[in-house]
Amino acid sequence: MRDELKIGFIGAGDVNFGGGEGPWDHASRLERLGGVRVVGVADPDTGRAKAQLAKREGPMYRDARVYADHRTMLAEAKPDAVWIGVPPNAHGTAEVGKDIELACVRAGVPIFVEKPLSSARPERVRKVAEKVSEADVVTSVGYMFRYARAIDAIKAIIDETDGGAKAFLARYDCAYSEIRKREWWDVRASGGPIVEQATHFVDLARYLIGDVDIESIKALSIGGGDPAGRLLDVPVLADGTRCGADVPPEFAAARVTAAVWRFANGAVGSLTHGTLLHRKKYETELEVWGDGLRIALLDPYGDCRALVRRPHSEDAEEMAFSDDDPYLTEDEAFLDAVRTGDRSRIRSPYGDALKTFELTWAITDAAAA
Ligand SMILES: NC(=O)c1ccc[n+]([C@@H]2O[C@H](COP(=O)([O-])OP(=O)(O)OC[C@H]3O[C@@H](n4cnc5c(N)ncnc54)[C@H](O)[C@@H]3O)[C@@H](O)[C@H]2O)c1
């Protein structure tokens, strides 16, 4: 067991340093966990990396240097582990420059990778997964809901219900008018809203219920280029461009996707994703049904709570989880695995996350067919 771990960030954006629409921010969680020292922040936007470091205080950052390229950081700073939080089209393939994961694992460096694994199609990412598996380093992918106490509770209730879960229903209604990221509006850069965003709930479908029969998937969408896909409050960027205005209609992010499928265990699943709400607040919820059972998980990003109606009852018990911080728990589990070599607390290793990634693409393809 080593004392202080040397860590690096690849990407100096919102997910690693906070900002944007939600509660993410790995740096702040690592400050709370302690026992780590930041040796580098790699981002081609070195100004942004410097600005992020300028906002941080304390001995954890005393040796932090800014690098324009992760390869230089790996060679010079020699981190013991890295957090990869870059746009989907900047990583996850074997293409030089976008082979961030491969560069790290070739150097023997454990990787925490934010979802989605890439914006590239699964065929290309599968090759990366094979090499990552061969390298046999610790990996973790940012499906933080797997670490949520609410999800632990739901999993336990499903396990104790006769016949288990029979249906999984998820709704992810995103608020679009503050999404000022050019790539988000372009399927070529993001993979689309199911690959990039609803992926959290697709992953929970697999985590809570099990693997999906890919052949069973049926889906429909309102494409960004469809007449029904017209939106009134799309944000305008600092350069005056309306987000998505320069994207050919066939690559514009879908406004609504509705999908159904059958799980390998016979249960049925459904997902609806919408890019329709205004301002910042998302509306996200999911349900699990079984014999006599209905569980509703409400607002998992915010005031997280579950309503549970159990067999032989008409009452719903409310369970509150708003004090839980799954981002902290996932970072702690990764750090622990890097320190001890024991990977048992990691709930989303790279190879498993690939299956979620493949499922998100299968839904996207079914909707486009
Ligand atoms: N798990 C979650 O809850 C969660 C939350 C937010 C974002 N994310 C994911 O994290 C990823 C990053 O999102 P973000 O909001 O931080 O984006 P962002 O745009 O705020 O920041 C990304 C940063 O990566 C940098 N970058 C681009 N190419 C790079 C490269 N080759 N090497 C190093 N840095 C590079 C950019 O310059 C930018 O500063 C996305 O895939 C997103 O889906 C996950």
Side-chain angles (χ1 to χ4, degrees):
M1 173 130 164
R2 287 168 291 183
D3 292 327
E4 213 170 40
L5 279 181
K6 294 190 290 172
I7 66 149
F9 288 107
I10 301 180
D14 293 344
V15 79
N16 278 341
F17 288 94
E21 325 89 59
W24 37 85
D25 174 349
H26 289 298
S28 294
R29 270 58 178 214
L30 293 168
E31 287 168 23
R32 282 175 61 191
L33 291 167
V36 299
R37 182 158 51 96
V38 181
V39 290
V41 179
D43 194 311
D45 184 348
T46 52
R48 189 175 191 187
K50 283 179 192 155
Q52 297 287 21
L53 283 174
K55 284 189 241 157
R56 303 276 164 171
E57 288 175 352
M60 182 173 132
Y61 300 98
R62 67 176 181 264
D63 300 327
R65 284 189 53 198
V66 166
Y67 296 89
D69 192 302
H70 60 277
R71 289 164 286 202
T72 322
M73 180 178 86
L74 290 171
E76 291 182 6
K78 300 195 173 12
D80 297 315
V82 295
W83 269 252
I84 301 171
V86 298
N89 60 345
H91 73 122
T93 69
E95 188 187 330
V96 175
K98 300 192 178 188
D99 55 349
I100 297 180
E101 291 80 1
L102 292 180
C104 295
V105 304
R106 275 194 216 109
V109 177
I111 49 174
F112 180 97
V113 188
E114 267 305 338
K115 48 54 61 177
L117 295 184
S118 185
S119 60
R121 292 192 55 86
E123 309 75 90
R124 294 175 64 198
V125 181
R126 227 169 272 143
K127 291 182 185 143
V128 174
E130 282 164 21
K131 297 261 185 294
V132 167
S133 166
E134 282 163 22
D136 198 27
V137 300
V138 174
T139 63
S140 179
V141 176
Y143 287 112
M144 71 286 170
F145 288 134
R146 288 190 175 214
Y147 300 84
R149 280 198 286 118
I151 296 302
D152 284 345
I154 292 172
K155 219 173 178 1
I157 296 167
I158 294 171
D159 285 349
E160 72 201 21
T161 300
D162 194 35
K166 298 190 192 297
F168 173 94
L169 297 80
R171 288 178 291 277
Y172 199 120
D173 297 341
C174 121
Y176 71 85
S177 59
E178 300 290 330
I179 302 185
R180 294 174 193 284
K181 292 190 169 138
R182 200 179 285 276
E183 67 269 12
W184 199 89
W185 296 87
D186 187 341
V187 171
R188 294 167 297 182
S190 70
I194 304 298
V195 171
E196 206 280 334
Q197 196 171 65
T199 187
H200 280 298
F201 280 12
V202 173
D203 187 64
L204 283 181
R206 291 190 52 246
Y207 186 62
L208 288 171
I209 317 291
D211 280 330
V212 167
D213 171 8
I214 296 281
E215 301 298 320
S216 73
I217 299 170
K218 294 185 174 54
L220 295 169
S221 65
I222 299 176
D226 294 351
R230 199 168 80 86
L231 298 176
L232 293 176
D233 204 14
V234 174
V236 177
L237 299 172
D239 65 4
T241 331
R242 189 168 294 279
C243 281
D246 50 354
V247 179
E250 65 272 31
F251 298 117
R255 308 319 196 203
V256 179
T257 305
V260 291
W261 59 78
R262 187 176 294 284
F263 291 92
N265 66 9
V268 294
S270 82
L271 166 76
T272 307
H273 180 277
T275 304
L276 295 173
L277 298 177
H278 295 176
R279 304 193 66 174
K280 284 191 174 177
K281 190 174 183 298
Y282 289 20
E283 303 290 343
T284 57
E285 55 192 52
L286 62 82
E287 289 169 22
V288 176
W289 298 349
D291 186 358
L293 178 73
R294 177 181 182 270
I295 310 172
L297 176 71
L298 308 175
D299 198 10
Y301 284 100
D303 180 18
C304 179
R305 59 210 189 277
L307 299 177
V308 184
R309 175 169 162 174
R310 296 176 191 267
H312 315 294
S313 169
E314 292 182 351
D315 301 323
E317 173 199 349
E318 176 159 337
M319 304 166 89
F321 301 98
S322 54
D323 60 341
D324 188 27
D325 183 354
Y327 292 96
L328 185 76
T329 317
E330 73 172 349
D331 283 335
E332 187 185 17
F334 177 62
L335 277 181
D336 185 61
V338 173
R339 283 210 179 88
T340 65
D342 176 1
R343 303 178 194 184
S344 58
R345 286 182 62 204
I346 291 184
R347 297 187 173 180
S348 179
Y350 197 93
D352 186 80
L354 176 71
K355 291 189 191 173
T356 295
F357 183 68
E358 290 172 332
L359 179 53
T360 59
W361 270 105
I363 294 169
T364 303
D365 287 347

